[in-house]
Amino acid sequence: MSTRCCAFNSCTNNATKITQWQKQICPIHNVNQGLASCICEPPFRLFPFPTTRKDDQLRKKWASIVNRKNGSENWEPKPDSRVCSEHFVDKRPTLQNPYPSLKLGYTPYKPIKSRPPPKHRSNSNVSPPSKKKRLVLEPISEHVSEQSLMFESAACMNDNSSVEEVCEQLGTSQNEKLDNSHNDDLERKIASLEEKVKQLELDLSKKEDSRESRCMFSVAQILKSDLKMKFYTGIPTVAAFNAVYQSISPSLSKVRYWIGPRRVVCNPLKPKNKFHKNLRRLSAKEEMILCLMKIRLGLLNEDLADRFSVSTTHVTNVITTWFKLLSAVLGTLVFNPSKETVKGNLPPSFQKVPYCDVRHIIDCTEVFIEKPNNLTIAAQTWSDYKHHNTAKILVSITPSGMINYISEAWGGRTSDKYVTQHSGFLDIIEPYDKVMADRGFPIQEDLALLHAELLIPPGRRGVSQMSTSDVKKTKQIANRRIYVEQAIRRLKCFRILKYEMPLSLIQHLDDIVRIAAGICNMYPPLPRYA
């Protein structure tokens, strides 16, 4: 069986290579390259010779360009003879380039060119204009006045000069005047063009300044838009930000900025400065936004330093100071409301017995941290569930979705039961409270000592299949316990808690979590109140 291949002796392209290419997987579309869903172009294409009926002259021209011999006779293309696209200028035969002219395998005697199309000829009998240019002499009176001519001619005649010399002098004087007027016109045009260039440069500089001002980061833009405020800081509205700032502003004058760890004084006899220099380079609102951007977006200190035009050391001092300050203020929004308040704001799904007395919905979340160098600490923070070094935090919410308790960070190896028993969560439990949790919190005995009750999904208790009542109870608890998962997802919207936290910020983890929880309590309730 014959194979379609390129007719040039120096070319090895054939249909087999196209078939092999079509069987390969496309790295862009992830399908076979021969399918219709892959729009990638093949490495080459094979074009058949023109047929005798369609264009015999073009067929013979192609055969002559191929330059193959069949013994003493001229070579004739076969039905399977092809010419690949690599021999055409336009990768295919076109009207401008209908012949193959590239990679022929030999040097042609004459460059292969296609015959240009015939020009359109008009039927009029008007003879074409002559190519010879006639010299047209302009009258001298248009450029030179009669008085000047008379004066110059008289002067020349007085010198007893010939007529030819007089004409030469008149021509040179005329040319000088024309050159002077032409130079004046050029100077005026150059001056006007220089003014235009200066004006264009001025306009361009103004546009660049305006573009730079639009591209530069500005705190004023954040303070004008609720969307910008929520994106950069996590606080839902500008009004909420101003309210938090007003509660902090009275204590700003007493704040002592962190300027690094204490060091031993080398010379105890050296006098100490009595007054602390004010090293503040940003306003209080800018420092507050810088700290919140660190928590909300998880930006690097170098990035924040470039945005606010300060040094990285100054950024470290600011965020270390404001972590403590914001934790003390926003941490007050995380509190345990009274029973009456909780029952007065129960969503419709918690208004039926036995869920009307639920006051806490608890779960643990883990934050990825960088692997510590200390092997003991690395073992204590290793989580078999996440397969990473983590810090575990206990989160408790009310049925309305408000975070009413958040624990300190524990090592990822610590169990959920141990964190619940030793984090201080049991201290806020009151008699006859109900706590909803997952199966990983076997704390019935601890709550029974406090006269409280635990609601968890029932287990199989050694049976192969759960009963109908157990399945129904599991579904009911799962539908109501989903709100704590949504609250944790709100916490993880703060990107510093979503990705791996560096070791330099582990000391601030408790303050960061408390700040994020306080901001989350500013959001609308999680359940729907129909």
Side-chain angles (χ1 to χ4, degrees), residues 296-366:
R296 170 66 180 86
L297 302 178
L299 300 176
L300 300 177
N301 291 355
E302 188 74 26
D303 188 3
L304 291 172
D306 293 340
R307 289 172 185 262
F308 289 87
S309 300
V310 294
S311 63
T312 54
T313 304
H314 189 73
V315 171
T316 304
N317 298 340
V318 169
I319 62 176
T320 304
T321 304
W322 278 84
F323 278 159
K324 300 294 183 182
L325 185 58
L326 290 175
S327 176
V329 176
L330 294 177
T332 58
L333 299 178
V334 182
F335 64 95
N336 186 27
S338 61
K339 289 185 178 181
E340 293 76 11
T341 305
V342 174
K343 285 190 175 182
N345 294 278
L346 284 176
S349 58
F350 282 87
Q351 292 180 358
K352 296 181 180 179
V353 180
Y355 306 108
C356 58
D357 294 329
V358 173
R359 196 174 174 188
H360 303 277
I361 307 175
I362 62 174
D363 197 3
C364 284
T365 183
E366 297 185 55

Side-chain angles (χ1 to χ4, degrees), residues 336 339 342-343 346 350 352-362 396-399 404 425 428-437 443 447 450-456 473:
N336 186 27
K339 289 185 178 181
V342 174
K343 285 190 175 182
L346 284 176
F350 282 87
K352 296 181 180 179
V353 180
Y355 306 108
C356 58
D357 294 329
V358 173
R359 196 174 174 188
H360 303 277
I361 307 175
I362 62 174
S396 173
I397 67 169
T398 62
N404 59 356
F425 170 71
I428 65 173
I429 300 297
E430 298 181 3
Y432 308 107
D433 285 347
K434 289 186 179 181
V435 179
M436 184 176 290
I443 55 174
L447 294 177
L450 301 173
H451 304 282
E453 184 181 352
L454 178 66
L455 296 178
I456 60 174
K473 185 177 180 182

Side-chain angles (χ1 to χ4, degrees), residues 67 83 207 278 287 315 322 337 341 379 442:
N67 197 23
V83 176
K207 289 184 179 180
N278 186 10
E287 292 179 350
V315 171
W322 278 84
T341 305

Side-chain angles (χ1 to χ4, degrees), residues 348 527-530:
R528 294 181 179 179
Y529 290 84

Side-chain angles (χ1 to χ4, degrees), residues 122-350:
S122 59
N123 297 327
S124 60
N125 297 324
V126 180
S127 60
S130 176
K131 295 183 178 180
K132 296 183 179 180
K133 296 183 180 180
R134 296 181 179 179
L135 181 61
V136 179
L137 298 177
E138 297 180 357
I140 302 177
S141 58
E142 294 182 1
H143 304 284
V144 185
S145 61
E146 295 180 357
Q147 295 179 357
S148 60
L149 288 175
M150 292 173 64
F151 178 78
E152 291 178 0
S153 61
C156 294
M157 294 301 292
N158 291 333
D159 295 337
N160 297 324
S161 58
S162 62
V163 177
E164 295 179 356
E165 293 177 355
V166 174
C167 293
E168 289 179 0
Q169 292 178 3
L170 290 175
T172 53
S173 62
Q174 179 184 358
N175 292 333
E176 290 177 358
K177 292 181 179 180
L178 291 175
D179 293 339
N180 293 333
S181 62
H182 184 64
N183 292 336
D184 295 339
D185 294 339
L186 290 178
E187 290 178 356
R188 284 193 294 270
K189 289 181 180 180
I190 292 172
S192 62
L193 290 175
E194 289 178 352
E195 292 179 358
K196 290 182 180 180
V197 169
K198 291 181 180 179
Q199 185 64 30
L200 291 174
E201 289 178 351
L202 182 61
D203 296 340
L204 181 60
S205 62
K206 290 182 179 179
K207 289 184 179 180
E208 289 179 352
D209 294 340
S210 62
R211 189 183 299 110
E212 291 179 358
S213 62
R214 289 195 302 268
C215 296
M216 289 180 61
F217 176 79
S218 176
V219 176
Q221 297 178 358
I222 301 176
L223 296 174
K224 292 179 181 179
S225 173
D226 292 342
L227 294 176
K228 295 285 186 182
M229 178 62 67
K230 186 175 182 180
F231 174 78
Y232 283 103
T233 65
I235 297 178
T237 60
V238 178
F241 174 84
N242 293 331
V244 174
Y245 178 76
Q246 290 298 330
S247 62
I248 296 176
S249 56
S251 58
L252 289 177
S253 59
K254 303 177 183 178
V255 172
R256 296 182 61 186
Y257 280 75
W258 188 84
I259 55 174
R262 294 182 178 180
R263 297 178 177 85
V264 179
V265 181
C266 298
N267 186 5
L269 300 178
K270 185 179 180 180
K272 299 180 180 180
N273 295 329
K274 296 182 180 181
F275 302 99
H276 185 272
K277 293 182 180 180
N278 186 10
L279 302 178
R280 177 177 290 176
R281 300 177 184 176
L282 302 173
S283 63
K285 283 190 176 181
E286 290 176 342
E287 292 179 350
M288 181 176 173
I289 290 177
L290 185 147
C291 182
L292 292 175
M293 287 176 61
K294 178 71 175 179
I295 300 174
R296 170 66 180 86
L297 302 178
L299 300 176
L300 300 177
N301 291 355
E302 188 74 26
D303 188 3
L304 291 172
D306 293 340
R307 289 172 185 262
F308 289 87
S309 300
V310 294
S311 63
T312 54
T313 304
H314 189 73
V315 171
T316 304
N317 298 340
V318 169
I319 62 176
T320 304
T321 304
W322 278 84
F323 278 159
K324 300 294 183 182
L325 185 58
L326 290 175
S327 176
V329 176
L330 294 177
T332 58
L333 299 178
V334 182
F335 64 95
N336 186 27
S338 61
K339 289 185 178 181
E340 293 76 11
T341 305
V342 174
K343 285 190 175 182
N345 294 278
L346 284 176
S349 58
F350 282 87

Side-chain angles (χ1 to χ4, degrees), residues 32 82 86 104 109 127 147 213 241-242 373-374 412 449 485 520 528:
N32 287 345
R82 297 289 188 271
E86 293 182 357
L104 304 180
Y109 295 104
S127 60
Q147 295 179 357
S213 62
F241 174 84
N242 293 331
N373 296 327
N374 191 323
L449 295 175
E485 302 289 346
C520 289
R528 294 181 179 179

